[in-house]
Amino acid sequence: MSISATNKLEKVKTALLSMQRHSWEQGVAAHAFLDLGETGTVIALARSAVLRQKEDGRSAVMGSSNAVTDPCAPGEAIAEAWRLTKDPLFKASLDRLLDWALHKAPRTSCGVVCHVLQEKQVWADSCYMLPPFLAAAGHMREAVEQMEGYHRLLCDSQTGLFRHIWNEDKGCFDRADYWGGGNGWAAAAMARLLHRIPKEEKELRRRLLSMELPLLDALRGVVRPDGLSHDILDRPDSFVEVNFSQMYAYALFTGIADGWLAAKYLPFAQKLRSAANEHVDAYGFVRQVCGAPDFCRPGISPEGQAFYLLMEAAAARCGL
């Protein structure tokens, strides 16, 4: 990595840590530092998530929250902090969060964990928030089964893309859009699961690959010539967005580094990476991502910062 690239990476880290973060943002930030090998920061982020853990087990909750799976995103860091420190504070927190995810969280009639408390909604976002945590905590079969449930409810059989929000109570989609962020969450989640689940678990990996490989191929068709996409992947009238390219590149680089994706995908992953790198400003903020706090216009976000770092860490594992 060149000096200028190293400086850019440090600026992106600082910009990420400067931002206010909700539960899922705390989680994906911790994942970025975990993949970069910066365990001290991971432990600090996990400790902060424990500080804001609710009695029901949900972690890193800011204010009043109806989120079900978002507070599970920091669980991977909490599990790692327990492994590294053996501090009983982290073990107790991990047990409470697992109890929430496995026993208390509301589910659909087919057993898929919902995204919010007040309605039986299933969101594409949950693909990333819940299954990687379950796998990190040793519940790999449940992780894959939840991913299969999200895939069954949200993935469109004709396009191969994920729709955003299914409502079981209504029996229809509350948001049927092929949102770039939602498809990025799904692709990144399955790559992260495949990275964590041992090669000896051949059947679980086969089931994941049967979902991940078609999705990665379907997503290629929505990328613009410049390596970016539209916020709604099949709608050119929606704004041009950067974070999807980072999430997609992360999944591709992870698959190539781990050996379940052919090296022929590397030039395309590099194209996505180069496009994203053009949008990092002098302060280290990744611009023109689907922006916080309402995610309806281009801007900046903690997840946009984190996925830049995740993408770069995965690229480094490919020797880049």
Side-chain angles (χ1 to χ4, degrees), residues 194-210:
L194 284 159
H195 180 66
R196 186 169 288 280
I197 294 176
K199 288 184 169 57
E200 294 74 27
E201 296 285 353
K202 293 180 181 179
E203 178 60 17
L204 293 181
R205 293 177 62 83
R206 182 197 64 77
R207 288 157 61 181
L208 284 170
L209 286 167
S210 73

Side-chain angles (χ1 to χ4, degrees), residues 65 102 114 130 149 162 194 200 220 241 253 261-262 266-267 270 298 308:
S65 173
L102 295 173
C114 301
L130 179 63
F162 274 64
L194 284 159
E200 294 74 27
R220 188 160 188 162
E241 203 271 333
F253 284 131
L261 196 63
L266 191 59
Q270 278 283 65
Y308 177 88

Side-chain angles (χ1 to χ4, degrees), residues 232-247:
I232 308 302
L233 296 175
D234 63 340
R235 278 183 43 192
D237 60 327
S238 64
F239 62 85
V240 177
E241 203 271 333
V242 170
N243 196 33
F244 167 77
S245 294
Q246 298 184 145
M247 300 167 104

Side-chain angles (χ1 to χ4, degrees), residues 7 15 61 130 136 143 149 180 221 276 278 282 307:
N7 287 342
V61 175
L130 179 63
E278 291 178 3
F307 265 102

Side-chain angles (χ1 to χ4, degrees), residues 269-279 311:
Q270 278 283 65
K271 177 178 180 177
L272 299 169
R273 181 191 183 201
S274 296
N277 265 283
E278 291 178 3
H279 289 81
M311 173 186 70

Side-chain angles (χ1 to χ4, degrees), residues 17-316:
L17 292 174
S18 77
M19 300 183 79
Q20 297 181 44
R21 294 182 299 279
H22 288 283
S23 56
W24 81 92
E25 296 164 330
Q26 186 79 352
V28 72
H31 299 168
F33 286 100
L34 182 60
D35 285 15
L36 289 167
E38 299 186 20
T39 55
T41 304
V42 174
I43 293 167
L45 290 166
R47 182 65 185 87
S48 180
V50 172
L51 177 66
R52 295 185 179 274
Q53 188 166 30
K54 295 180 73 69
E55 289 184 7
D56 61 19
R58 292 179 294 158
S59 69
V61 175
M62 298 279 284
S64 59
S65 173
N66 68 347
V68 172
T69 59
D70 285 347
C72 295
E76 194 172 336
I78 295 170
E80 184 68 7
W82 161 242
R83 187 186 71 82
L84 291 169
T85 69
K86 298 305 179 187
D87 185 333
L89 176 142
F90 291 119
K91 180 62 165 63
S93 174
L94 178 62
D95 288 345
R96 290 196 300 271
L97 186 55
L98 269 174
D99 185 50
W100 167 257
L102 295 173
H103 306 298
K104 295 178 180 176
R107 298 180 179 230
T108 66
S109 58
C110 58
V112 179
V113 176
C114 301
H115 192 77
V116 293
L117 290 173
Q118 77 276 23
E119 291 187 85
K120 287 192 175 180
Q121 286 184 336
V122 174
W123 294 30
D125 312 46
S126 290
C127 295
Y128 189 89
M129 308 312 161
L130 179 63
F133 159 58
L134 291 173
H139 294 267
M140 291 178 286
R141 185 165 299 277
E142 176 70 10
V144 173
E145 289 176 356
Q146 285 298 317
M147 184 61 70
E148 288 174 330
Y150 295 130
H151 184 272
R152 183 173 62 253
L153 292 173
L154 298 173
C155 189
D156 180 74
S157 60
Q158 292 189 331
T159 64
L161 302 177
F162 274 64
R163 299 190 185 274
H164 190 201
I165 302 173
W166 168 258
N167 190 313
E168 182 180 73
D169 291 330
K170 297 177 183 177
C172 64
F173 286 98
D174 280 344
R175 191 188 188 200
D177 292 334
Y178 302 127
W179 178 44
N183 280 271
W185 287 126
M190 287 187 273
R192 200 159 186 85
L193 281 174
L194 284 159
H195 180 66
R196 186 169 288 280
I197 294 176
K199 288 184 169 57
E200 294 74 27
E201 296 285 353
K202 293 180 181 179
E203 178 60 17
L204 293 181
R205 293 177 62 83
R206 182 197 64 77
R207 288 157 61 181
L208 284 170
L209 286 167
S210 73
M211 298 181 286
E212 175 74 321
L213 295 177
L215 177 60
L216 294 179
D217 285 338
L219 293 176
R220 188 160 188 162
V222 302
V223 175
R224 293 156 39 107
D226 62 1
L228 300 177
S229 73
H230 292 276
D231 182 57
I232 308 302
L233 296 175
D234 63 340
R235 278 183 43 192
D237 60 327
S238 64
F239 62 85
V240 177
E241 203 271 333
V242 170
N243 196 33
F244 167 77
S245 294
Q246 298 184 145
M247 300 167 104
Y248 190 8
Y250 162 77
L252 294 173
F253 284 131
T254 298
I256 294 164
D258 288 350
W260 52 262
L261 196 63
K264 68 179 182 180
Y265 288 88
L266 191 59
F268 184 64
Q270 278 283 65
K271 177 178 180 177
L272 299 169
R273 181 191 183 201
S274 296
N277 265 283
E278 291 178 3
H279 289 81
V280 181
D281 70 16
Y283 300 102
F285 288 104
V286 184
R287 296 285 180 178
Q288 208 169 312
V289 304
C290 188
D294 53 13
F295 302 97
C296 65
R297 59 182 59 87
I300 60 175
S301 73
E303 61 204 53
Q305 298 297 120
F307 265 102
Y308 177 88
L309 300 173
L310 284 160
M311 173 186 70
E312 289 298 303

